[in-house]
Amino acid sequence: MAANIRVAVVDDHPLLREGVTRSLREMNGFEIVAEGASGADARRIVAEVQPDILIMDISMPEGGLVTLPVVLEIRPSQKIVILTVSEDSDDVSAALNSGANGYVLKGVGTRGLAEVLQAVSRGETYVSPTLSARLLSDLKSRRSDDRETTVLADLTEREREVLDLVAAGLSNKRVALRLDLHEKTVKHHMTRILSKLNVSNRTEAALWVHRRSVEG
């Protein structure tokens, strides 16, 4: 028969903490070995009790995200599941990057939490599905923003001047007059600009500029 998963629960809301511990005690396969309400409690519990899994909130005295890496310094093998109301992608990323094995939203059912703890005890990492989808979307968006920032930096000062005037609706001829260039030179700049922006024509280039200005 498999040994029970030894769980410690650290949350500064007594009602929620008691609800989690009571629910897990009523489930087969779990043993509540400690409870706490702060980062200091989490550090003490990990050092003295060494639970299989530490369930910890983000919003508590000393902060869960601050406490997380400190706990792992004390016991590098400690498995940690964040149980919180925060759906902020930055919090999810910070927790996972700091070494959390799971990130679960409060409101999860007892059976759902039990399944997460079982998965984490097997060495898996878990993030609530709605959060993982949002995290992936944010990551893609940031990568796109980073790529566009790199592209913008790759444009020469003259190419930026030409692009801004084209985005303002000026023809190659008018751009040439404004910048005191030959029209043929403007066309050459536009060819390089379209290539760097990875767009097909002047209209798409103008839209690229307008979108950047709106998002920025």
Side-chain angles (χ1 to χ4, degrees), residues 131-201:
L131 296 182
S132 59
R134 184 180 305 167
L135 195 62
L136 182 60
S137 176
D138 287 351
L139 181 59
K140 287 181 178 178
S141 177
R142 287 174 184 176
R143 283 177 177 170
S144 177
D145 288 344
D146 289 344
R147 187 190 70 79
E148 291 188 354
T149 300
T150 301
V151 168
L152 194 60
D154 193 38
L155 295 175
T156 66
E157 184 176 349
R158 179 63 83 188
E159 286 169 350
R160 289 192 192 189
E161 289 176 338
V162 171
L163 179 58
D164 286 341
L165 292 175
V166 167
L170 274 66
S171 66
N172 285 350
K173 186 174 183 178
R174 291 180 63 193
V175 171
L177 289 172
R178 181 73 65 87
L179 300 178
D180 194 23
L181 298 172
H182 292 295
E183 187 174 351
K184 189 174 182 179
T185 303
V186 173
K187 289 180 179 178
H188 173 70
H189 283 312
M190 278 306 302
T191 299
R192 289 179 56 81
I193 290 168
L194 296 179
S195 176
K196 289 181 179 182
L197 300 186
N198 194 28
V199 296
S200 303
N201 53 54

Side-chain angles (χ1 to χ4, degrees), residues 46-210:
V46 167
E48 297 176 0
V49 183
Q50 298 188 346
D52 296 326
I53 298 177
L54 170 67
I55 297 177
M56 185 168 62
D57 190 14
I58 283 181
S59 302
M60 64 179 187
E62 297 178 64
L65 292 178
V66 174
T67 301
L68 201 160
V70 180
V71 163
L72 291 175
E73 285 183 12
I74 296 170
R75 189 179 183 220
S77 63
Q78 180 63 59
K79 290 184 170 65
I80 301 171
V81 171
I82 298 296
L83 182 61
T84 180
V85 297
S86 175
E87 299 184 28
D88 191 298
S89 295
D90 288 339
D91 286 342
V92 182
S93 297
L96 296 178
N97 290 336
S98 295
N101 305 92
Y103 195 102
V104 186
L105 293 177
K106 289 181 177 179
V108 64
T110 301
R111 188 170 299 279
L113 180 59
E115 290 174 353
V116 171
L117 297 179
Q118 289 164 349
V120 168
S121 72
R122 295 192 298 267
E124 300 174 22
T125 298
Y126 179 90
V127 178
S128 293
T130 55
L131 296 182
S132 59
R134 184 180 305 167
L135 195 62
L136 182 60
S137 176
D138 287 351
L139 181 59
K140 287 181 178 178
S141 177
R142 287 174 184 176
R143 283 177 177 170
S144 177
D145 288 344
D146 289 344
R147 187 190 70 79
E148 291 188 354
T149 300
T150 301
V151 168
L152 194 60
D154 193 38
L155 295 175
T156 66
E157 184 176 349
R158 179 63 83 188
E159 286 169 350
R160 289 192 192 189
E161 289 176 338
V162 171
L163 179 58
D164 286 341
L165 292 175
V166 167
L170 274 66
S171 66
N172 285 350
K173 186 174 183 178
R174 291 180 63 193
V175 171
L177 289 172
R178 181 73 65 87
L179 300 178
D180 194 23
L181 298 172
H182 292 295
E183 187 174 351
K184 189 174 182 179
T185 303
V186 173
K187 289 180 179 178
H188 173 70
H189 283 312
M190 278 306 302
T191 299
R192 289 179 56 81
I193 290 168
L194 296 179
S195 176
K196 289 181 179 182
L197 300 186
N198 194 28
V199 296
S200 303
N201 53 54
R202 298 163 58 86
T203 302
E204 290 182 6
L207 289 173
W208 190 94
V209 173
H210 291 314

